Amino acid sequence: RSIIVRHFRQPRIEQFLRDVVLVYPRTGTALPITGVYETIIPRTPFVVIYRIEEANAIVRLIGFFHHAQDRDEWAVDAEPES
């Protein structure tokens, strides 16, 4: 199993995504791309990047990283997929 699958299912991560990111999606730091945010998941070494799709009332997870990973080269498409 990949490291993402093993850690993504931790109750702390699921609870944070459900209780914070879905309820208060603009809590994260806005990235230069419109509608894309990044937030650190408390008490874990992980960062999640997500897009707010207003028209569909969706918060779409688009990146999940260890905080020490270099995210400078990682790119997000400016427009969400249809």
Side-chain angles (χ1 to χ4, degrees):
R1 292 173 80 175
S2 74
I3 190 168
I4 291 174
V5 171
R6 284 195 312 264
H7 292 290
F8 195 70
R9 291 190 152 176
Q10 288 183 4
R12 177 176 293 144
I13 294 172
E14 288 180 9
Q15 181 179 3
F16 179 78
L17 294 174
R18 182 184 60 243
D19 297 346
V20 177
V21 172
L22 291 179
V23 177
Y24 307 104
R26 287 183 176 76
T27 298
T29 302
L31 298 179
I33 299 168
T34 303
V36 176
Y37 293 80
E38 173 183 82
T39 191
I40 297 169
I41 300 173
R43 299 187 319 259
T44 74
F46 300 111
V47 174
V48 65
I49 297 175
Y50 56 95
R51 179 189 316 276
I52 300 171
E53 297 178 12
E54 300 280 351
N56 301 319
I58 292 174
V59 174
R60 186 177 309 274
L61 301 181
I62 54 177
F64 186 78
F65 298 93
H66 188 277
H67 73 87
Q69 276 183 279
D70 181 11
R71 296 182 300 278
D72 291 339
E73 302 270 335
W74 187 76
V76 175
D77 293 332
E79 294 299 320
E81 294 178 15
S82 300

